[in-house]
Amino acid sequence: MVIVAILWIGFSPARAASDAAFTQFIASLWPEAKAAGVSRATFERETANLEPDYKLPDLILPGRPATGAPSQAEFVQVPADYINEASIARLAAEGQKLMAKYRAALDGIEKRFGVPAPIVLAIWGRETDYGRYTLPYDGVRVLATQAYVGRRKDQYRNEFVLALKLINDGEVTRKELRVSWAGATGLTQFLPSEFYQHAVDFDGDGRRDIWHSVPDALASAAEQLVNKGWQKGVRWAYEVTPPANVDCTSGVPEVTKPLGEWLREGFVPVRGRRLSAAEQAQQASLLQPEGIYGPSFLATKNYFVIKEYNFSDLYVLFVGHLADRMVSPLPFATPWSAAKQLRTRDVEAMQRGLMRIGLYADKVDGKAGMKTRAALGAYQKKAGLKVDCWPSEALLHSIEQAH
């Protein structure tokens, strides 16, 4: 009878040992929390009865396959699905209304930081649907779990300590510290470390309230962009029509040229756009999110600054395009064309294969970013295949057979 009761409540020796190890791990972080200014009372209160959440994505659990991060739409959806026209149109219309509502604050932010109002509004729209999206997780639990069994333990160890510091410092209550599965919080999605690096009290009430104050959240997003190198008066990117002989393998951040030089090589801004002399002097890189298919862009320094906010080409394209749509109703001039995106594990296999044959030296992360697409194009050149810099099942099979 006793045994049945124990089984009924879900007890298992393995789980008990695991939770005991987690509790011991959390306790071991007290010296770091103390050094960060967290009181013993706060530490004890917030870690009491704390349990890990093993259902989170992107964990490495002993005896179980790696979970990966399937919920990150930026890396598993084709551009047309991620940069969905209906979503862009809706968010742009709402952004125009919010621009009028918060005009005084947005003018002040642009004057102080040099970041245009549509850009910070677009970040807010992408991150939390202008505050309508309720972040689903308890921040302390998520960051503790990621510090314990996440793929980036050292980073999250610090984020967990700083989450406790947020509560200790009175910046936010435990109840209000709601986060994404990756631990970002607030209207514009900051990790705790980003809060301490970039958060701004813009409304002058003595608090850096990125959870409730729209001026604080938008100014904090602007400050983060500035701290990462935002250049005042520079667009994020220019959509262009590439020349017929475009080499998609040159679409990497390391290949930069003045915009004027790209134009002389045959790249033409869409819809007859004319670039000023100052614009033509700006450095830019070629961006072809679907290889030779779909739209092409010349991406400025500010493109890569936004990418520091979220390391995804599709994220930056969404934010940049949404910002543009708040000013102009025009969609991209060239439509997206890819119908399928390879699964994360297949892109990882491609990256490992390209690394094995000496064509790729970056992270094996399952994300078909600029460097992966360029390496695919380099392989296609070497193998005598059509050079389109786009991952496909046929290309994966070819790479796996290569020596």
Side-chain angles (χ1 to χ4, degrees), residues 66-85:
T67 57
S71 59
Q72 282 194 274
E74 292 91 347
F75 303 113
V76 296
Q77 290 183 347
V78 294
D81 290 339
Y82 183 82
I83 309 173
N84 178 274
E85 175 58 27

PDB file of all heavy atoms in Angstrom, residues 66-85:
ATOM      1  N   ALA A  66      19.542  15.398 -27.391  1.00  0.00           N
ATOM      2  CA  ALA A  66      19.514  16.857 -27.282  1.00  0.00           C
ATOM      3  C   ALA A  66      18.201  17.383 -27.833  1.00  0.00           C
ATOM      4  O   ALA A  66      17.722  16.941 -28.876  1.00  0.00           O
ATOM      5  CB  ALA A  66      20.688  17.466 -28.034  1.00  0.00           C
ATOM      6  N   THR A  67      17.604  18.327 -27.117  1.00  0.00           N
ATOM      7  CA  THR A  67      16.277  18.797 -27.510  1.00  0.00           C
ATOM      8  C   THR A  67      16.324  19.812 -28.635  1.00  0.00           C
ATOM      9  O   THR A  67      15.361  19.980 -29.365  1.00  0.00           O
ATOM     10  CB  THR A  67      15.559  19.427 -26.307  1.00  0.00           C
ATOM     11  OG1 THR A  67      16.358  20.495 -25.790  1.00  0.00           O
ATOM     12  CG2 THR A  67      15.323  18.402 -25.225  1.00  0.00           C
ATOM     13  N   GLY A  68      17.420  20.532 -28.790  1.00  0.00           N
ATOM     14  CA  GLY A  68      17.470  21.573 -29.814  1.00  0.00           C
ATOM     15  C   GLY A  68      16.542  22.716 -29.473  1.00  0.00           C
ATOM     16  O   GLY A  68      15.984  22.791 -28.383  1.00  0.00           O
ATOM     17  N   ALA A  69      16.380  23.626 -30.419  1.00  0.00           N
ATOM     18  CA  ALA A  69      15.527  24.801 -30.181  1.00  0.00           C
ATOM     19  C   ALA A  69      14.486  24.928 -31.279  1.00  0.00           C
ATOM     20  O   ALA A  69      14.476  25.873 -32.041  1.00  0.00           O
ATOM     21  CB  ALA A  69      16.384  26.049 -30.106  1.00  0.00           C
ATOM     22  N   PRO A  70      13.593  23.947 -31.397  1.00  0.00           N
ATOM     23  CA  PRO A  70      12.658  23.942 -32.524  1.00  0.00           C
ATOM     24  C   PRO A  70      11.682  25.103 -32.514  1.00  0.00           C
ATOM     25  O   PRO A  70      11.084  25.417 -33.522  1.00  0.00           O
ATOM     26  CB  PRO A  70      11.919  22.614 -32.352  1.00  0.00           C
ATOM     27  CG  PRO A  70      12.009  22.316 -30.888  1.00  0.00           C
ATOM     28  CD  PRO A  70      13.348  22.839 -30.477  1.00  0.00           C
ATOM     29  N   SER A  71      11.528  25.758 -31.352  1.00  0.00           N
ATOM     30  CA  SER A  71      10.526  26.820 -31.280  1.00  0.00           C
ATOM     31  C   SER A  71      11.017  28.141 -31.865  1.00  0.00           C
ATOM     32  O   SER A  71      10.271  29.096 -31.913  1.00  0.00           O
ATOM     33  CB  SER A  71      10.088  27.024 -29.830  1.00  0.00           C
ATOM     34  OG  SER A  71      11.189  27.365 -29.026  1.00  0.00           O
ATOM     35  N   GLN A  72      12.293  28.226 -32.272  1.00  0.00           N
ATOM     36  CA  GLN A  72      12.784  29.468 -32.841  1.00  0.00           C
ATOM     37  C   GLN A  72      12.411  29.543 -34.317  1.00  0.00           C
ATOM     38  O   GLN A  72      13.100  29.028 -35.184  1.00  0.00           O
ATOM     39  CB  GLN A  72      14.305  29.592 -32.669  1.00  0.00           C
ATOM     40  CG  GLN A  72      14.688  30.001 -31.251  1.00  0.00           C
ATOM     41  CD  GLN A  72      16.122  30.435 -31.182  1.00  0.00           C
ATOM     42  OE1 GLN A  72      17.018  29.623 -31.021  1.00  0.00           O
ATOM     43  NE2 GLN A  72      16.356  31.727 -31.325  1.00  0.00           N
ATOM     44  N   ALA A  73      11.321  30.218 -34.586  1.00  0.00           N
ATOM     45  CA  ALA A  73      10.807  30.277 -35.950  1.00  0.00           C
ATOM     46  C   ALA A  73      11.814  30.886 -36.920  1.00  0.00           C
ATOM     47  O   ALA A  73      11.815  30.566 -38.106  1.00  0.00           O
ATOM     48  CB  ALA A  73       9.512  31.087 -35.978  1.00  0.00           C
ATOM     49  N   GLU A  74      12.688  31.761 -36.400  1.00  0.00           N
ATOM     50  CA  GLU A  74      13.666  32.419 -37.273  1.00  0.00           C
ATOM     51  C   GLU A  74      14.527  31.418 -38.029  1.00  0.00           C
ATOM     52  O   GLU A  74      15.055  31.721 -39.097  1.00  0.00           O
ATOM     53  CB  GLU A  74      14.606  33.331 -36.445  1.00  0.00           C
ATOM     54  CG  GLU A  74      13.938  34.539 -35.855  1.00  0.00           C
ATOM     55  CD  GLU A  74      13.391  34.267 -34.464  1.00  0.00           C
ATOM     56  OE1 GLU A  74      13.304  33.100 -34.060  1.00  0.00           O
ATOM     57  OE2 GLU A  74      13.036  35.250 -33.786  1.00  0.00           O
ATOM     58  N   PHE A  75      14.699  30.208 -37.447  1.00  0.00           N
ATOM     59  CA  PHE A  75      15.651  29.277 -38.025  1.00  0.00           C
ATOM     60  C   PHE A  75      15.011  28.040 -38.651  1.00  0.00           C
ATOM     61  O   PHE A  75      15.713  27.171 -39.137  1.00  0.00           O
ATOM     62  CB  PHE A  75      16.663  28.854 -36.946  1.00  0.00           C
ATOM     63  CG  PHE A  75      17.375  30.034 -36.328  1.00  0.00           C
ATOM     64  CD1 PHE A  75      17.172  30.364 -35.005  1.00  0.00           C
ATOM     65  CD2 PHE A  75      18.220  30.828 -37.089  1.00  0.00           C
ATOM     66  CE1 PHE A  75      17.828  31.459 -34.437  1.00  0.00           C
ATOM     67  CE2 PHE A  75      18.860  31.917 -36.533  1.00  0.00           C
ATOM     68  CZ  PHE A  75      18.672  32.231 -35.203  1.00  0.00           C
ATOM     69  N   VAL A  76      13.713  27.928 -38.631  1.00  0.00           N
ATOM     70  CA  VAL A  76      13.075  26.750 -39.213  1.00  0.00           C
ATOM     71  C   VAL A  76      12.008  27.090 -40.245  1.00  0.00           C
ATOM     72  O   VAL A  76      11.523  26.209 -40.946  1.00  0.00           O
ATOM     73  CB  VAL A  76      12.458  25.848 -38.120  1.00  0.00           C
ATOM     74  CG1 VAL A  76      13.543  25.286 -37.216  1.00  0.00           C
ATOM     75  CG2 VAL A  76      11.425  26.592 -37.299  1.00  0.00           C
ATOM     76  N   GLN A  77      11.641  28.338 -40.356  1.00  0.00           N
ATOM     77  CA  GLN A  77      10.633  28.737 -41.334  1.00  0.00           C
ATOM     78  C   GLN A  77      11.289  29.333 -42.575  1.00  0.00           C
ATOM     79  O   GLN A  77      12.344  29.958 -42.494  1.00  0.00           O
ATOM     80  CB  GLN A  77       9.683  29.774 -40.731  1.00  0.00           C
ATOM     81  CG  GLN A  77       8.748  29.237 -39.670  1.00  0.00           C
ATOM     82  CD  GLN A  77       7.775  30.288 -39.169  1.00  0.00           C
ATOM     83  OE1 GLN A  77       7.929  31.472 -39.433  1.00  0.00           O
ATOM     84  NE2 GLN A  77       6.762  29.861 -38.436  1.00  0.00           N
ATOM     85  N   VAL A  78      10.634  29.144 -43.724  1.00  0.00           N
ATOM     86  CA  VAL A  78      11.100  29.834 -44.925  1.00  0.00           C
ATOM     87  C   VAL A  78      10.736  31.317 -44.774  1.00  0.00           C
ATOM     88  O   VAL A  78       9.816  31.669 -44.025  1.00  0.00           O
ATOM     89  CB  VAL A  78      10.465  29.248 -46.199  1.00  0.00           C
ATOM     90  CG1 VAL A  78      10.941  27.826 -46.430  1.00  0.00           C
ATOM     91  CG2 VAL A  78       8.945  29.308 -46.150  1.00  0.00           C
ATOM     92  N   PRO A  79      11.456  32.197 -45.460  1.00  0.00           N
ATOM     93  CA  PRO A  79      11.208  33.633 -45.284  1.00  0.00           C
ATOM     94  C   PRO A  79       9.763  34.061 -45.478  1.00  0.00           C
ATOM     95  O   PRO A  79       9.249  34.882 -44.717  1.00  0.00           O
ATOM     96  CB  PRO A  79      12.133  34.264 -46.333  1.00  0.00           C
ATOM     97  CG  PRO A  79      13.279  33.315 -46.426  1.00  0.00           C
ATOM     98  CD  PRO A  79      12.649  31.955 -46.294  1.00  0.00           C
ATOM     99  N   ALA A  80       9.083  33.504 -46.486  1.00  0.00           N
ATOM    100  CA  ALA A  80       7.707  33.935 -46.754  1.00  0.00           C
ATOM    101  C   ALA A  80       6.778  33.635 -45.592  1.00  0.00           C
ATOM    102  O   ALA A  80       5.800  34.347 -45.367  1.00  0.00           O
ATOM    103  CB  ALA A  80       7.186  33.268 -48.023  1.00  0.00           C
ATOM    104  N   ASP A  81       7.070  32.564 -44.830  1.00  0.00           N
ATOM    105  CA  ASP A  81       6.250  32.233 -43.672  1.00  0.00           C
ATOM    106  C   ASP A  81       6.599  33.105 -42.478  1.00  0.00           C
ATOM    107  O   ASP A  81       5.728  33.547 -41.733  1.00  0.00           O
ATOM    108  CB  ASP A  81       6.421  30.753 -43.301  1.00  0.00           C
ATOM    109  CG  ASP A  81       5.797  29.828 -44.327  1.00  0.00           C
ATOM    110  OD1 ASP A  81       4.917  30.295 -45.078  1.00  0.00           O
ATOM    111  OD2 ASP A  81       6.185  28.652 -44.387  1.00  0.00           O
ATOM    112  N   TYR A  82       7.893  33.345 -42.284  1.00  0.00           N
ATOM    113  CA  TYR A  82       8.317  34.148 -41.131  1.00  0.00           C
ATOM    114  C   TYR A  82       7.971  35.620 -41.340  1.00  0.00           C
ATOM    115  O   TYR A  82       7.417  36.276 -40.455  1.00  0.00           O
ATOM    116  CB  TYR A  82       9.820  33.978 -40.897  1.00  0.00           C
ATOM    117  CG  TYR A  82      10.313  34.721 -39.672  1.00  0.00           C
ATOM    118  CD1 TYR A  82      10.171  34.163 -38.407  1.00  0.00           C
ATOM    119  CD2 TYR A  82      10.898  35.971 -39.778  1.00  0.00           C
ATOM    120  CE1 TYR A  82      10.601  34.843 -37.279  1.00  0.00           C
ATOM    121  CE2 TYR A  82      11.326  36.661 -38.655  1.00  0.00           C
ATOM    122  CZ  TYR A  82      11.185  36.090 -37.408  1.00  0.00           C
ATOM    123  OH  TYR A  82      11.602  36.767 -36.294  1.00  0.00           O
ATOM    124  N   ILE A  83       8.329  36.141 -42.519  1.00  0.00           N
ATOM    125  CA  ILE A  83       8.007  37.541 -42.832  1.00  0.00           C
ATOM    126  C   ILE A  83       6.653  37.536 -43.535  1.00  0.00           C
ATOM    127  O   ILE A  83       6.518  37.851 -44.715  1.00  0.00           O
ATOM    128  CB  ILE A  83       9.116  38.180 -43.693  1.00  0.00           C
ATOM    129  CG1 ILE A  83      10.478  37.945 -43.039  1.00  0.00           C
ATOM    130  CG2 ILE A  83       8.897  39.683 -43.854  1.00  0.00           C
ATOM    131  CD1 ILE A  83      11.660  38.380 -43.867  1.00  0.00           C
ATOM    132  N   ASN A  84       5.662  37.142 -42.771  1.00  0.00           N
ATOM    133  CA  ASN A  84       4.319  36.939 -43.301  1.00  0.00           C
ATOM    134  C   ASN A  84       3.665  38.276 -43.648  1.00  0.00           C
ATOM    135  O   ASN A  84       3.621  39.181 -42.812  1.00  0.00           O
ATOM    136  CB  ASN A  84       3.497  36.183 -42.259  1.00  0.00           C
ATOM    137  CG  ASN A  84       2.076  35.946 -42.678  1.00  0.00           C
ATOM    138  OD1 ASN A  84       1.228  36.801 -42.472  1.00  0.00           O
ATOM    139  ND2 ASN A  84       1.822  34.804 -43.290  1.00  0.00           N
ATOM    140  N   GLU A  85       3.164  38.390 -44.853  1.00  0.00           N
ATOM    141  CA  GLU A  85       2.619  39.668 -45.315  1.00  0.00           C
ATOM    142  C   GLU A  85       1.461  40.159 -44.458  1.00  0.00           C
ATOM    143  O   GLU A  85       1.387  41.346 -44.112  1.00  0.00           O
ATOM    144  CB  GLU A  85       2.183  39.541 -46.781  1.00  0.00           C
ATOM    145  CG  GLU A  85       1.490  40.765 -47.346  1.00  0.00           C
ATOM    146  CD  GLU A  85       2.331  42.040 -47.281  1.00  0.00           C
ATOM    147  OE1 GLU A  85       3.573  41.946 -47.297  1.00  0.00           O
ATOM    148  OE2 GLU A  85       1.744  43.129 -47.205  1.00  0.00           O
TER     149      GLU A  85
END
